[in-house]
Amino acid sequence: MKKQITLYLFILIGLASYAQKPHVLNLTNFDNKKIHFGFSLGMNVQDYRLESWSPIGANPEFVEKDFTNPEGGQVTMVDTVRTDIATTVPGLTVAVVINLRLGEYFDLRFLPGLSFGERRLTFTKNGEYLPVYDIYAGTTDLEVVSVKSTYLDFPLMVKYKSSRLNNQRPYIIGGFAYRLDISKSGEEDLVQLKKGGLYLEAGVGLDSYLRFFRFSTELKVSLGLNNLIGDTPIEQRQYYSQSIKSISSHIFTLSFHFE
């Protein structure tokens, strides 16, 4: 993930350097519009920040149970079960851009849209691999748990722009977003999460004024502010979810805006 962010920053720096050369100015009155619209396409990487109970018996809701298939799956009060991200999977983001001009250097932006992504979780018990038993997965011994998400995104951000450099204009953004996960099924998930969450958002970008439209490249990080751990599943083995003390969502997005 660090390599990807570094690559994106080098791209932005390269575009900004290119902007120093003299060019014919495009869309000279574009930034004077009170309101304008567009659309956005992007790639995202979704991550979790996880905190575990140590040991799991520190969770007052945890109760030891005997299972008919105990191989690697028995968990006692003194065991420490940890959840980690096994691998990151690229996702897709699409959105509508609604931009309100606040002044020469400030805009208010609302970008409602959809984000599709996936996280893959793995579990360990006392530092060793813990098999995953999911009654709905069609198998009783999984290496990872796939958590697929489809978010309705409602970000509201303030954009601060520098002075225009020929046909480019660097900017920074900041604000908040509410996301609602609409992908949850009616089945008992191994780890149940709350559907809605509030995020703090910040990023950098570069506006490029082309002949007929403005094209923007933007790198943004979204940090979840609330604990997403939900109700403990009844039918599943409960020690997977009960080992998690808190879980918050982090999303990194590279977007391309067409306005």
Side-chain angles (χ1 to χ4, degrees), residues 89-241:
V89 181
L92 175 67
T93 298
V94 294
V96 175
V97 179
I98 304 173
N99 190 97
L100 176 66
R101 185 179 187 269
L102 300 179
E104 182 178 358
Y105 297 103
F106 289 94
D107 290 338
L108 183 65
R109 290 169 70 81
F110 181 51
L111 291 87
L114 284 170
S115 293
F116 307 90
E118 180 183 2
R119 303 172 177 94
R120 295 175 181 173
L121 305 180
T122 184
F123 296 86
T124 59
K125 182 181 74 172
N126 302 328
E128 298 182 356
Y129 166 70
L130 179 65
V132 176
Y133 297 93
D134 188 341
I135 63 175
Y136 295 109
T139 180
T140 57
D141 190 356
L142 301 173
E143 292 185 0
V144 297
V145 175
S146 176
V147 181
K148 294 181 174 64
S149 297
T150 301
Y151 289 110
L152 286 175
D153 301 331
F154 302 99
L156 183 64
M157 293 176 290
V158 174
K159 175 180 179 180
Y160 173 72
K161 305 169 290 186
S162 73
S163 298
R164 180 166 170 170
L165 305 172
N166 295 316
N167 285 321
Q168 274 71 39
R169 196 169 189 179
Y171 66 86
I172 58 175
I173 55 170
F176 294 90
Y178 181 78
R179 287 185 170 86
L180 180 66
D181 191 349
I182 60 175
S183 65
K184 299 302 181 184
S185 66
E187 295 179 337
E188 294 277 356
D189 294 327
L190 197 69
V191 177
Q192 287 192 346
L193 303 177
K194 297 176 183 177
K195 292 186 176 183
L198 184 65
Y199 293 74
L200 175 66
E201 308 226 316
V204 296
L206 181 68
D207 289 332
S208 298
Y209 297 82
L210 306 182
R211 186 176 179 182
F212 298 109
F213 63 93
R214 186 175 73 183
F215 173 74
S216 305
T217 303
E218 179 181 294
L219 179 63
K220 180 180 69 176
V221 58
S222 305
L223 304 177
L225 300 178
N226 56 310
N227 187 358
L228 295 179
I229 193 68
D231 297 330
T232 301
I234 298 175
E235 299 182 19
Q236 299 275 20
R237 297 195 177 193
Q238 299 181 9
Y239 54 74
Y240 296 110
S241 61

Side-chain angles (χ1 to χ4, degrees), residues 15-88:
L15 290 173
S17 299
Y18 177 75
Q20 304 299 325
K21 300 179 181 180
H23 297 281
V24 176
L25 295 181
N26 298 322
L27 304 176
T28 54
N29 293 320
F30 185 89
D31 290 329
N32 295 327
K33 296 179 180 179
K34 186 63 176 178
I35 187 170
H36 66 260
F37 303 89
F39 67 94
S40 176
L41 301 175
M43 299 175 292
N44 69 70
V45 175
Q46 300 181 8
D47 198 1
Y48 283 135
R49 182 180 182 275
L50 295 146
E51 183 180 356
S52 302
W53 292 97
S54 184
I56 191 173
N59 183 351
E61 296 184 0
F62 176 72
V63 177
E64 288 188 26
K65 293 183 179 180
D66 293 327
F67 298 100
T68 57
N69 184 9
E71 296 180 6
Q74 280 301 32
V75 174
T76 65
M77 298 285 288
V78 297
D79 290 327
T80 297
V81 177
R82 296 193 180 277
T83 311
D84 296 295
I85 295 289
T87 182
T88 56

